[in-house]
Coordinates of all heavy atoms in Angstrom, one line a residue:
L214 N 2.3 -10.3 -7.0 CA 2.5 -9.0 -7.7 C 1.1 -8.6 -8.2 O 0.4 -9.3 -8.9 CB 3.4 -9.2 -8.9 CG 3.7 -8.0 -9.8 CD1 4.5 -6.9 -9.0 CD2 4.5 -8.3 -11.0
L215 N 0.7 -7.4 -7.8 CA -0.5 -6.8 -8.2 C -0.3 -5.7 -9.2 O 0.7 -5.0 -9.0 CB -1.3 -6.4 -7.0 CG -1.5 -7.4 -5.9 CD1 -2.0 -6.7 -4.6 CD2 -2.4 -8.5 -6.3
T216 N -1.2 -5.5 -10.1 CA -1.1 -4.4 -11.0 C -1.9 -3.2 -10.6 O -3.1 -3.4 -10.2 CB -1.5 -4.8 -12.4 OG1 -0.8 -6.0 -12.8 CG2 -1.3 -3.8 -13.5
G217 N -1.3 -2.0 -10.7 CA -2.0 -0.8 -10.3 C -2.9 -0.2 -11.3 O -3.0 -0.7 -12.4
T218 N -3.3 1.0 -11.1 CA -4.2 1.6 -12.1 C -3.5 2.3 -13.2 O -4.1 2.9 -14.1 CB -5.1 2.7 -11.3 OG1 -4.2 3.7 -10.7 CG2 -6.0 2.1 -10.3
G219 N -2.1 2.3 -13.1 CA -1.4 2.9 -14.2 C -1.1 4.3 -14.0 O -1.1 4.9 -12.9
A220 N -0.8 5.0 -15.1 CA -0.4 6.4 -15.1 C -1.4 7.3 -14.5 O -2.6 7.1 -14.8 CB 0.1 6.9 -16.5
P221 N -1.1 8.3 -13.8 CA -2.1 9.3 -13.3 C -2.7 10.1 -14.5 O -2.1 10.3 -15.5 CB -1.3 10.2 -12.3 CG 0.1 10.1 -12.8 CD 0.2 8.7 -13.4
T222 N -3.9 10.5 -14.3 CA -4.5 11.4 -15.3 C -4.0 12.8 -15.2 O -3.6 13.2 -14.1 CB -6.1 11.4 -15.2 OG1 -6.4 11.9 -13.8 CG2 -6.6 10.0 -15.4
G223 N -4.1 13.6 -16.2 CA -3.6 14.9 -16.2 C -2.2 15.0 -16.6 O -1.6 14.0 -17.0
T224 N -1.6 16.2 -16.5 CA -0.3 16.4 -16.9 C 0.7 16.6 -15.8 O 1.9 16.8 -16.0 CB -0.2 17.6 -17.8 OG1 -0.7 18.8 -17.1 CG2 -1.0 17.5 -19.1
T225 N 0.3 16.5 -14.5 CA 1.1 16.7 -13.4 C 2.0 15.5 -13.1 O 1.5 14.4 -13.0 CB 0.3 17.0 -12.1 OG1 -0.6 18.1 -12.4 CG2 1.1 17.3 -10.9
A226 N 3.3 15.7 -13.0 CA 4.1 14.6 -12.7 C 4.0 14.2 -11.3 O 3.9 15.1 -10.3 CB 5.6 15.0 -13.0
V227 N 3.9 12.9 -11.0 CA 3.7 12.4 -9.7 C 5.0 11.8 -9.2 O 5.6 10.9 -10.0 CB 2.6 11.4 -9.6 CG1 2.4 10.8 -8.2 CG2 1.3 12.0 -10.1
T228 N 5.5 12.2 -8.0 CA 6.8 11.6 -7.6 C 6.5 10.4 -6.7 O 5.4 10.2 -6.2 CB 7.6 12.7 -6.8 OG1 6.8 13.0 -5.6 CG2 7.8 14.0 -7.6
D229 N 7.5 9.6 -6.5 CA 7.4 8.4 -5.6 C 7.1 8.9 -4.2 O 6.3 8.3 -3.5 CB 8.7 7.6 -5.6 CG 9.0 6.9 -6.9 OD1 8.0 6.6 -7.7 OD2 10.1 6.4 -7.2
A230 N 7.7 10.0 -3.8 CA 7.4 10.5 -2.5 C 6.0 10.9 -2.3 O 5.4 10.7 -1.2 CB 8.4 11.7 -2.2
S231 N 5.4 11.6 -3.3 CA 4.0 12.0 -3.1 C 3.1 10.8 -3.2 O 2.0 10.8 -2.5 CB 3.6 13.1 -4.2 OG 3.6 12.5 -5.5
L232 N 3.4 9.8 -4.1 CA 2.6 8.6 -4.1 C 2.6 7.9 -2.7 O 1.6 7.4 -2.3 CB 3.1 7.6 -5.1 CG 2.9 8.0 -6.6 CD1 3.6 7.1 -7.6 CD2 1.4 8.0 -6.9
R233 N 3.8 7.8 -2.1 CA 4.0 7.2 -0.8 C 3.2 7.9 0.2 O 2.4 7.3 1.0 CB 5.4 7.2 -0.4 CG 5.7 6.5 0.9 CD 7.2 6.4 1.3 NE 7.4 5.8 2.6 CZ 7.4 6.3 3.7 NH1 7.2 7.6 3.8 NH2 7.6 5.7 4.8
A234 N 3.3 9.3 0.2 CA 2.5 10.0 1.2 C 1.0 9.9 1.1 O 0.3 9.7 2.1 CB 2.9 11.6 1.1
D235 N 0.5 9.9 -0.2 CA -0.9 9.7 -0.4 C -1.4 8.3 0.0 O -2.4 8.1 0.6 CB -1.2 9.9 -1.9 CG -1.1 11.4 -2.3 OD1 -1.1 12.3 -1.5 OD2 -1.1 11.6 -3.5
L236 N -0.6 7.3 -0.3 CA -0.9 5.9 0.0 C -0.9 5.7 1.5 O -1.8 5.1 2.1 CB 0.0 4.9 -0.6 CG -0.2 3.5 -0.4 CD1 -1.7 3.1 -0.8 CD2 0.7 2.6 -1.2
I237 N 0.0 6.3 2.2 CA 0.1 6.2 3.7 C -1.2 6.8 4.3 O -1.7 6.3 5.3 CB 1.3 6.8 4.3 CG1 2.5 5.9 3.9 CG2 1.3 7.0 5.8 CD1 3.9 6.5 4.2
K238 N -1.6 8.0 3.8 CA -2.8 8.6 4.2 C -4.0 7.8 4.1 O -4.8 7.6 5.0 CB -2.9 10.0 3.5 CG -4.0 10.8 4.0 CD -4.3 12.1 3.2 CE -3.0 12.9 3.2 NZ -3.2 14.2 2.5
R239 N -4.1 7.1 2.9 CA -5.3 6.3 2.6 C -5.3 5.0 3.5 O -6.3 4.6 4.0 CB -5.3 5.9 1.1 CG -5.7 7.0 0.2 CD -6.0 6.6 -1.2 NE -6.9 5.6 -1.3 CZ -7.0 4.7 -2.3 NH1 -6.1 4.6 -3.2 NH2 -8.0 3.8 -2.3
L240 N -4.1 4.4 3.7 CA -4.0 3.2 4.6 C -4.4 3.6 6.0 O -5.1 2.9 6.6 CB -2.6 2.7 4.5 CG -2.2 2.0 3.2 CD1 -0.7 1.7 3.2 CD2 -2.9 0.7 3.1
G241 N -3.9 4.8 6.5 CA -4.2 5.2 7.8 C -5.7 5.6 8.0 O -6.2 5.5 9.1
A242 N -6.4 5.9 6.9 CA -7.8 6.3 7.0 C -8.7 5.1 7.0 O -9.9 5.2 7.3 CB -8.1 7.3 5.9
S243 N -8.2 3.9 6.7 CA -9.0 2.7 6.6 C -9.3 2.1 8.0 O -8.4 1.8 8.7 CB -8.3 1.6 5.8 OG -9.0 0.4 5.8
P244 N -10.6 2.0 8.3 CA -10.9 1.4 9.6 C -10.4 0.0 9.8 O -10.1 -0.4 10.9 CB -12.5 1.5 9.7 CG -12.9 2.4 8.6 CD -11.8 2.4 7.6
T245 N -10.3 -0.7 8.8 CA -9.8 -2.1 8.8 C -8.3 -2.2 9.2 O -7.9 -3.2 9.8 CB -10.0 -2.7 7.4 OG1 -11.3 -2.6 7.0 CG2 -9.5 -4.2 7.4
L246 N -7.6 -1.1 9.0 CA -6.1 -1.2 9.2 C -5.6 -0.3 10.3 O -4.4 -0.2 10.5 CB -5.4 -0.7 7.9 CG -5.8 -1.5 6.6 CD1 -5.1 -0.8 5.4 CD2 -5.5 -2.9 6.7
V247 N -6.5 0.2 11.1 CA -6.2 1.0 12.3 C -5.3 0.2 13.2 O -5.5 -0.9 13.6 CB -7.4 1.5 13.0 CG1 -7.0 2.2 14.4 CG2 -8.2 2.5 12.2
G248 N -4.2 0.8 13.6 CA -3.2 0.2 14.6 C -2.3 -0.7 14.0 O -1.5 -1.3 14.8
L249 N -2.3 -0.9 12.7 CA -1.3 -1.8 12.1 C -0.1 -1.1 11.7 O -0.1 0.1 11.3 CB -1.9 -2.5 10.9 CG -3.1 -3.4 11.2 CD1 -3.6 -4.0 9.8 CD2 -2.8 -4.5 12.2
E250 N 1.1 -1.8 11.7 CA 2.3 -1.2 11.2 C 2.6 -1.8 9.9 O 3.2 -2.9 9.8 CB 3.4 -1.5 12.3 CG 3.2 -0.8 13.6 CD 4.4 -1.1 14.6 OE1 5.5 -1.2 14.1 OE2 4.1 -1.2 15.7
I251 N 2.3 -1.0 8.9 CA 2.6 -1.4 7.5 C 3.6 -0.5 6.9 O 3.4 0.7 6.9 CB 1.3 -1.4 6.6 CG1 0.3 -2.5 7.2 CG2 1.6 -1.7 5.2 CD1 -1.1 -2.4 6.5
E252 N 4.7 -1.0 6.5 CA 5.8 -0.2 5.9 C 5.4 0.0 4.4 O 5.1 -1.0 3.7 CB 7.2 -0.8 6.1 CG 8.3 0.0 5.4 CD 9.6 -0.6 5.6 OE1 9.8 -1.5 6.4 OE2 10.5 -0.2 4.8
V253 N 5.6 1.2 3.9 CA 5.3 1.5 2.5 C 6.5 2.0 1.9 O 7.1 3.0 2.4 CB 4.1 2.5 2.4 CG1 3.9 2.8 0.9 CG2 2.9 2.0 3.0
R254 N 7.0 1.5 0.8 CA 8.1 1.9 0.0 C 7.6 2.1 -1.4 O 6.8 1.3 -1.9 CB 9.4 1.1 0.1 CG 10.0 1.0 1.4 CD 11.3 0.2 1.4 NE 11.2 -1.1 0.9 CZ 11.7 -1.6 -0.2 NH1 12.5 -0.9 -1.0 NH2 11.5 -2.9 -0.6
V255 N 8.1 3.1 -2.1 CA 7.7 3.3 -3.5 C 8.9 3.7 -4.3 O 9.7 4.5 -3.9 CB 6.7 4.5 -3.7 CG1 6.3 4.7 -5.2 CG2 5.4 4.3 -2.8
A256 N 9.2 2.9 -5.4 CA 10.3 3.2 -6.2 C 9.8 3.0 -7.7 O 9.4 1.9 -8.1 CB 11.4 2.2 -5.9
H257 N 9.9 4.0 -8.4 CA 9.6 4.0 -9.9 C 8.1 3.6 -10.0 O 7.8 2.8 -10.8 CB 10.5 3.2 -10.7 CG 12.0 3.6 -10.5 ND1 12.5 4.7 -11.1 CD2 12.9 2.9 -9.8 CE1 13.8 4.8 -10.7 NE2 14.0 3.7 -9.9
R258 N 7.3 4.1 -9.2 CA 5.8 3.9 -9.2 C 5.5 2.4 -8.8 O 4.3 2.0 -9.0 CB 5.2 4.3 -10.6 CG 5.3 5.7 -10.8 CD 4.7 6.1 -12.1 NE 3.4 5.4 -12.5 CZ 3.2 4.8 -13.6 NH1 4.1 4.9 -14.6 NH2 2.1 4.2 -13.9
V259 N 6.4 1.7 -8.2 CA 6.1 0.4 -7.7 C 6.1 0.5 -6.2 O 7.0 0.9 -5.6 CB 7.2 -0.7 -8.2 CG1 7.0 -2.0 -7.5 CG2 7.2 -0.8 -9.6
V260 N 5.0 0.0 -5.6 CA 4.8 0.0 -4.2 C 5.2 -1.4 -3.6 O 4.8 -2.4 -4.1 CB 3.3 0.2 -3.9 CG1 3.0 0.1 -2.3 CG2 2.8 1.6 -4.3
Y261 N 5.9 -1.3 -2.5 CA 6.3 -2.4 -1.7 C 5.7 -2.3 -0.3 O 6.0 -1.3 0.4 CB 7.8 -2.6 -1.5 CG 8.6 -2.7 -2.8 CD1 8.9 -1.5 -3.6 CD2 8.8 -3.9 -3.4 CE1 9.5 -1.7 -4.9 CE2 9.5 -4.1 -4.6 CZ 9.8 -2.9 -5.3 OH 10.4 -3.0 -6.6
L262 N 4.8 -3.2 0.0 CA 4.1 -3.2 1.3 C 4.8 -4.3 2.1 O 4.9 -5.5 1.7 CB 2.6 -3.6 1.2 CG 1.8 -2.6 0.4 CD1 0.4 -3.1 0.3 CD2 1.8 -1.2 1.0
S263 N 5.2 -4.0 3.4 CA 5.8 -5.0 4.3 C 5.3 -4.8 5.7 O 4.8 -3.7 6.1 CB 7.3 -5.0 4.2 OG 7.8 -3.7 4.6
G264 N 5.4 -5.8 6.5 CA 4.9 -5.8 7.9 C 4.1 -7.0 8.1 O 4.0 -7.9 7.3
T265 N 3.4 -6.9 9.3 CA 2.5 -8.0 9.6 C 1.1 -7.5 9.8 O 0.9 -6.3 10.2 CB 2.9 -8.7 10.9 OG1 3.0 -7.8 12.0 CG2 4.3 -9.4 10.8
V266 N 0.1 -8.3 9.5 CA -1.3 -8.0 9.7 C -1.9 -9.2 10.4 O -1.3 -10.3 10.4 CB -2.0 -7.7 8.4 CG1 -1.5 -6.4 7.7 CG2 -1.9 -8.9 7.4
K267 N -3.1 -9.0 11.0 CA -3.7 -10.1 11.8 C -4.6 -11.0 11.0 O -5.0 -12.1 11.5 CB -4.5 -9.5 12.9 CG -3.6 -8.7 13.9 CD -4.4 -8.0 14.9 CE -4.8 -6.6 14.5 NZ -5.4 -5.8 15.5
S268 N -4.9 -10.7 9.8 CA -5.8 -11.6 9.0 C -5.6 -11.3 7.5 O -5.1 -10.4 7.1 CB -7.3 -11.2 9.4 OG -7.7 -10.0 8.8
R269 N -6.2 -12.4 6.8 CA -6.1 -12.2 5.3 C -7.0 -11.0 4.8 O -6.7 -10.4 3.8 CB -6.6 -13.5 4.6 CG -5.6 -14.6 4.8 CD -6.0 -15.9 4.1 NE -6.9 -16.5 5.0 CZ -7.5 -17.7 4.7 NH1 -7.1 -18.4 3.8 NH2 -8.3 -18.1 5.6
A270 N -8.0 -10.7 5.6 CA -8.9 -9.6 5.2 C -8.1 -8.2 5.3 O -8.2 -7.4 4.5 CB -10.1 -9.6 6.1
E271 N -7.3 -8.1 6.4 CA -6.5 -6.9 6.5 C -5.4 -6.9 5.4 O -5.2 -5.8 4.8 CB -5.8 -6.9 7.9 CG -6.7 -6.6 9.0 CD -6.1 -6.8 10.4 OE1 -5.0 -7.3 10.5 OE2 -6.7 -6.4 11.4
K272 N -4.8 -8.0 5.1 CA -3.9 -8.0 4.0 C -4.5 -7.6 2.7 O -4.0 -6.7 1.9 CB -3.2 -9.4 3.9 CG -2.2 -9.5 2.8 CD -1.6 -10.9 2.7 CE -0.5 -11.0 1.6 NZ 0.0 -12.3 1.5
A273 N -5.7 -8.2 2.4 CA -6.4 -7.9 1.2 C -6.8 -6.4 1.1 O -6.8 -5.7 0.0 CB -7.6 -8.8 1.0
A274 N -7.2 -5.8 2.3 CA -7.6 -4.4 2.3 C -6.4 -3.5 2.0 O -6.5 -2.6 1.2 CB -8.2 -4.1 3.7
A275 N -5.3 -3.8 2.6 CA -4.1 -3.0 2.3 C -3.7 -3.1 0.8 O -3.3 -2.1 0.2 CB -2.9 -3.4 3.2
E276 N -3.7 -4.3 0.3 CA -3.3 -4.5 -1.1 C -4.3 -3.8 -2.1 O -3.9 -3.2 -3.0 CB -3.2 -6.0 -1.4 CG -2.1 -6.7 -0.7 CD -2.2 -8.2 -0.8 OE1 -3.3 -8.7 -1.2 OE2 -1.2 -8.8 -0.4
H277 N -5.6 -3.8 -1.7 CA -6.6 -3.2 -2.6 C -6.4 -1.7 -2.6 O -6.5 -1.0 -3.6 CB -8.0 -3.5 -2.1 CG -9.1 -2.8 -2.8 ND1 -9.4 -3.2 -4.1 CD2 -9.8 -1.7 -2.5 CE1 -10.4 -2.4 -4.5 NE2 -10.7 -1.5 -3.5
I278 N -6.1 -1.1 -1.4 CA -5.9 0.4 -1.3 C -4.7 0.7 -2.2 O -4.7 1.7 -2.9 CB -5.7 0.8 0.1 CG1 -7.1 0.7 0.9 CG2 -5.2 2.2 0.2 CD1 -7.0 0.8 2.4
A279 N -3.7 -0.1 -2.1 CA -2.4 0.2 -2.8 C -2.6 0.1 -4.3 O -2.2 1.0 -5.1 CB -1.3 -0.6 -2.4
V280 N -3.3 -1.0 -4.8 CA -3.5 -1.2 -6.2 C -4.4 -0.2 -6.8 O -4.3 0.0 -8.0 CB -3.9 -2.7 -6.4 CG1 -5.3 -2.9 -6.2 CG2 -3.5 -3.1 -7.8
T281 N -5.3 0.4 -6.0 CA -6.3 1.4 -6.6 C -5.8 2.8 -6.5 O -6.5 3.7 -6.9 CB -7.6 1.2 -6.0 OG1 -7.6 1.4 -4.5 CG2 -8.2 -0.1 -6.3
E282 N -4.6 3.0 -5.9 CA -4.0 4.4 -5.8 C -3.6 4.9 -7.2 O -2.8 4.2 -7.9 CB -2.8 4.4 -4.9 CG -2.1 5.7 -4.7 CD -3.0 6.6 -3.9 OE1 -3.8 6.3 -3.0 OE2 -2.9 7.9 -4.2
P283 N -4.1 6.0 -7.6 CA -3.8 6.6 -8.9 C -2.3 6.8 -9.1 O -1.6 7.3 -8.1 CB -4.5 7.9 -9.0 CG -5.7 7.7 -8.1 CD -5.1 6.9 -6.9
G284 N -1.7 6.4 -10.1 CA -0.3 6.6 -10.4 C 0.6 5.4 -10.1 O 1.7 5.4 -10.5
I285 N 0.0 4.4 -9.4 CA 0.8 3.2 -9.0 C 0.7 2.2 -10.2 O -0.2 1.9 -10.7 CB 0.2 2.5 -7.8 CG1 0.3 3.4 -6.5 CG2 0.9 1.2 -7.4 CD1 1.7 3.9 -6.2
A286 N 1.9 1.7 -10.5 CA 2.1 0.8 -11.7 C 2.0 -0.6 -11.2 O 1.3 -1.5 -11.8 CB 3.4 1.0 -12.4
K287 N 2.6 -0.9 -10.1 CA 2.6 -2.3 -9.5 C 2.6 -2.3 -8.1 O 3.1 -1.3 -7.4 CB 3.8 -3.1 -10.0 CG 3.9 -3.4 -11.5 CD 5.1 -4.1 -11.9 CE 5.2 -4.3 -13.4 NZ 6.4 -4.9 -13.8
V288 N 2.1 -3.4 -7.4 CA 2.2 -3.5 -6.0 C 2.9 -4.8 -5.6 O 2.4 -5.9 -6.2 CB 0.8 -3.5 -5.3 CG1 0.9 -3.7 -3.8 CG2 0.1 -2.1 -5.6
V289 N 3.9 -4.8 -4.9 CA 4.6 -6.0 -4.3 C 4.2 -6.1 -2.9 O 4.7 -5.3 -2.1 CB 6.0 -6.0 -4.6 CG1 6.7 -7.2 -4.0 CG2 6.4 -5.8 -6.1
S290 N 3.4 -7.1 -2.5 CA 3.0 -7.3 -1.1 C 3.9 -8.3 -0.5 O 4.0 -9.5 -0.8 CB 1.6 -7.8 -1.1 OG 1.2 -8.0 0.3
L291 N 4.6 -7.9 0.5 CA 5.4 -8.7 1.5 C 4.7 -8.9 2.8 O 5.5 -9.2 3.8 CB 6.9 -8.1 1.5 CG 7.5 -7.9 0.2 CD1 8.8 -7.2 0.4 CD2 7.8 -9.2 -0.6
L292 N 3.4 -8.5 2.9 CA 2.8 -8.5 4.1 C 2.6 -10.0 4.6 O 2.3 -10.9 3.9 CB 1.3 -7.9 4.0 CG 1.4 -6.4 3.7 CD1 0.0 -5.9 3.4 CD2 1.9 -5.7 4.9
A293 N 2.8 -10.2 5.9 CA 2.7 -11.6 6.5 C 1.5 -11.5 7.4 O 1.3 -10.6 8.2 CB 3.9 -11.9 7.3
V294 N 0.7 -12.6 7.3 CA -0.5 -12.7 8.2 C -0.1 -13.5 9.4 O 0.4 -14.7 9.3 CB -1.6 -13.5 7.4 CG1 -2.8 -13.7 8.4 CG2 -2.0 -12.7 6.2
V295 N -0.2 -12.8 10.5 CA 0.2 -13.4 11.8 C -1.0 -13.2 12.8 O -1.1 -12.1 13.3 CB 1.5 -12.8 12.4 CG1 1.8 -13.4 13.8 CG2 2.7 -13.0 11.4
P296 N -1.8 -14.2 13.0 CA -2.9 -13.9 13.9 C -2.5 -13.4 15.3 O -1.5 -13.9 15.9 CB -3.5 -15.3 14.1 CG -3.2 -16.0 12.8 CD -1.8 -15.5 12.5
G297 N -3.1 -12.3 15.7 CA -2.7 -11.7 17.0 C -1.5 -10.7 16.8 O -1.2 -10.0 17.7
G298 N -0.9 -10.6 15.6 CA 0.2 -9.7 15.3 C -0.2 -8.5 14.6 O -1.5 -8.2 14.5
G299 N 0.7 -7.7 14.2 CA 0.3 -6.4 13.4 C 0.1 -5.2 14.2 O 0.0 -4.1 13.7
G300 N -0.1 -5.3 15.5 CA -0.4 -4.1 16.3 C 0.8 -3.4 16.8 O 1.9 -4.0 16.6
Y301 N 0.6 -2.4 17.6 CA 1.7 -1.8 18.2 C 2.2 -2.5 19.5 O 1.5 -3.1 20.2 CB 1.4 -0.3 18.7 CG 1.1 0.5 17.5 CD1 -0.1 0.9 17.0 CD2 2.2 1.0 16.8 CE1 -0.3 1.7 15.9 CE2 2.0 1.9 15.7 CZ 0.7 2.2 15.2 OH 0.6 3.0 14.2

């Protein structure tokens, strides 16, 4: 369980759907995570990451992106490291 950055700044309410969309965009923009299938679910500002990655570095990169996303309270990583896995 990883702790996020907490409540977003400002007065705009952030929905789980918008948090998920923003996080998917950030994960997809990471050169480290290109071509990986990482499922992202958000419920009550808690992110659940699942799927497979090819290395601990990829897992750490995905978790870091999630935990630093503004508005995220917690990150639960269910990512499995499978050398040679994680691609399409």
Side-chain angles (χ1 to χ4, degrees):
L214 180 68
L215 307 169
T216 303
T218 58
T222 59
T224 58
T225 304
V227 178
T228 66
D229 288 343
S231 67
L232 287 172
R233 181 178 182 272
D235 291 346
L236 184 52
I237 288 172
K238 187 183 299 182
R239 286 187 62 208
L240 289 168
S243 172
T245 305
L246 305 176
V247 170
L249 298 179
E250 294 183 33
I251 297 175
E252 181 181 340
V253 177
R254 291 186 303 119
V255 180
H257 307 286
R258 295 182 37 230
V259 176
V260 172
Y261 298 87
L262 299 174
S263 59
T265 58
V266 294
K267 295 176 271 188
S268 69
R269 285 182 284 189
E271 290 175 345
K272 181 178 179 181
E276 292 168 347
H277 176 74
I278 290 169
V280 80
T281 58
E282 179 68 30
I285 298 300
K287 294 179 185 174
V288 176
V289 178
S290 178
L291 306 171
L292 294 170
V294 177
V295 179
Y301 291 102

